[in-house]
């Protein structure tokens, strides 16, 4: 398990209730720009604590969201959030094992994923599964943390990755485009969001360098609070060097598929 309770509490302290990655409602709205998900059935891959799924329903008018994750405590917390919001009739969560998606073909109008695919090593299999469960003319909308060619050899990246507990499986933008096209997606797009994340990460560092560090320490302990500051500083270096490339990915399943 990568996401301990103290760790998720620290992430929510920085990024908002129900969120495990930066951006909150503004980032979700940016991901959905140019997409109308009103009335659609959506699968959220890596649903975490469920904050994104509440937004998809309440602010973006999705008809139904099924969130999946591989860590049971995250699923439990997401279910509690949805119960508090009285949204259990429109949002469900399912604990899954890594591997093929446990859904029939042609099950969803939209596949959504925010900052979770970076934990999945076999991107080709992932893109293939997304294509399989999408309906014809369905949308794949994701945010993923990509990196530059040879970034795995960068001392800046190595220093950053040493500051936190998470395990990542990065790919380059070119590999993401190729993988999506190989899976059969059309209208493939990978948009570099690095400059926006540079600014928001700077804001995070400034916050943690001030009185907020003490407030965070009171919630999760001083060691975890200092770890989050060190991770933010390391992430900033990887962003500034150009090694880390947060991106928005999108593609569409063909209107008619031969399966």
């Amino acid at each position: 398990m990568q996401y301990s309770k103290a760790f998720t509490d620290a992430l929510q302290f920085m990024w908002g209730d129900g969120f495990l990655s930066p951006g909150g409602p503004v980032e979700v709205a940016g991901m959905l720009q140019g997409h109308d998900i009103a009335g659609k059935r959506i699968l959220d891959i890596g649903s975490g604590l469920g904050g994104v799924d509440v937004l998809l329903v309440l602010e973006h008018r999705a008809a139904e969201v099924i969130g999946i994750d591989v860590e049971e405590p995250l699923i439990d917390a997401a279910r509690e959030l949805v119960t508090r919001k009285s949204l259990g009739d429109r949002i469900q969560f399912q604990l899954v094992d890594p591997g093929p998606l446990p859904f029939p073909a042609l099950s969803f109008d939209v596949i959504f994923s925010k900052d979770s695919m970076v934990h999945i090593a076999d991107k080709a299999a992932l893109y293939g599964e997304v294509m399989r469960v999408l309906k014809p003319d369905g949308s794949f909308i994701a945010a993923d943390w990509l990196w530059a060619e040879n970034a795995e050899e960068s001392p800046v990246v190595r220093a950053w990755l040493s500051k936190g507990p998470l395990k990542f499986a990065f790919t380059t933008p070119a590999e993401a485009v190729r993988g999506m096209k190989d899976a059969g997606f059309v209208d493939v797009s990978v948009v570099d969001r690095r400059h926006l994340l540079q600014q928001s990460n700077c804001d995070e560092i400034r916050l943690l360098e001030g009185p907020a560090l003490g407030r965070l320490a009171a919630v999760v302990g001083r060691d975890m609070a200092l770890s989050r500051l060190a991770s933010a500083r390391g992430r900033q270096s990887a962003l500034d060097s150009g090694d880390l490339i947060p991106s928005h990915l999108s593609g569409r399943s063909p209107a008619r598929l031969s399966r």
Side-chain angles (χ1 to χ4, degrees), residues 89-102:
D89 58 331
R90 297 175 65 187
I91 304 174
Q92 294 86 41
F93 296 99
Q94 185 171 332
L95 182 68
V96 299
D97 294 321
L101 298 172

Side-chain angles (χ1 to χ4, degrees), residues 19 22-32 55 59-60 114 193 248:
F19 284 87
V26 173
E27 176 69 359
V28 172
M31 293 173 65
L32 293 173
L55 283 178
E59 295 194 12
H60 301 283
K114 182 181 186 297
R193 303 276 288 179
H248 286 178

Side-chain angles (χ1 to χ4, degrees), residues 63-126:
E64 178 187 6
V65 178
I66 296 178
I68 59 173
D69 213 297
V70 298
E71 296 197 7
E72 189 168 9
L74 300 183
I75 292 290
D76 291 342
R79 286 171 175 161
E80 290 175 7
L81 174 64
V82 165
T83 298
R84 293 198 305 271
K85 300 287 185 179
S86 300
L87 291 172
D89 58 331
R90 297 175 65 187
I91 304 174
Q92 294 86 41
F93 296 99
Q94 185 171 332
L95 182 68
V96 299
D97 294 321
L101 298 172
F103 304 102
L106 311 177
S107 292
F108 298 95
D109 303 299
V110 177
I111 309 296
F112 186 93
S113 184
K114 182 181 186 297
D115 301 325
S116 66
M117 297 191 309
V118 71
H119 298 307
I120 301 172
D122 193 344
K123 298 297 195 295
L126 170 64

Side-chain angles (χ1 to χ4, degrees), residues 136-152:
D137 205 27
S139 297
F140 177 37
I141 305 166
D144 196 12
W145 294 77
L146 309 179
W147 64 4
E149 291 283 352
N150 301 315
E152 66 273 18

Side-chain angles (χ1 to χ4, degrees), residues 45 101 111 125-134 139-140 185:
I45 296 176
L101 298 172
I111 309 296
L126 170 64
Y127 296 144
E129 279 294 285
V130 169
M131 177 62 75
R132 182 182 67 81
V133 301
L134 264 179
S139 297
F140 177 37
F185 286 97

Side-chain angles (χ1 to χ4, degrees), residues 179-241:
M180 292 172 67
K181 288 183 175 180
D182 287 348
F185 286 97
V186 297
D187 299 333
V188 170
S189 173
V190 176
V191 178
D192 184 341
R193 303 276 288 179
R194 184 172 66 91
H195 295 298
L196 290 175
L197 267 294
Q198 278 179 294
Q199 183 56 56
S200 67
N201 201 76
C202 279
D203 295 340
E204 180 181 342
I205 292 170
R206 281 195 293 269
L207 187 68
L208 288 176
E209 287 177 339
L213 184 68
R215 296 197 298 273
L216 177 57
V219 175
V220 299
R222 185 164 180 80
D223 287 347
M224 177 62 76
L226 290 173
S227 172
R228 298 319 306 146
L229 175 56
S231 180
R233 287 170 172 165
R235 186 167 59 245
Q236 189 68 43
S237 296
L239 288 165
D240 291 345
S241 70

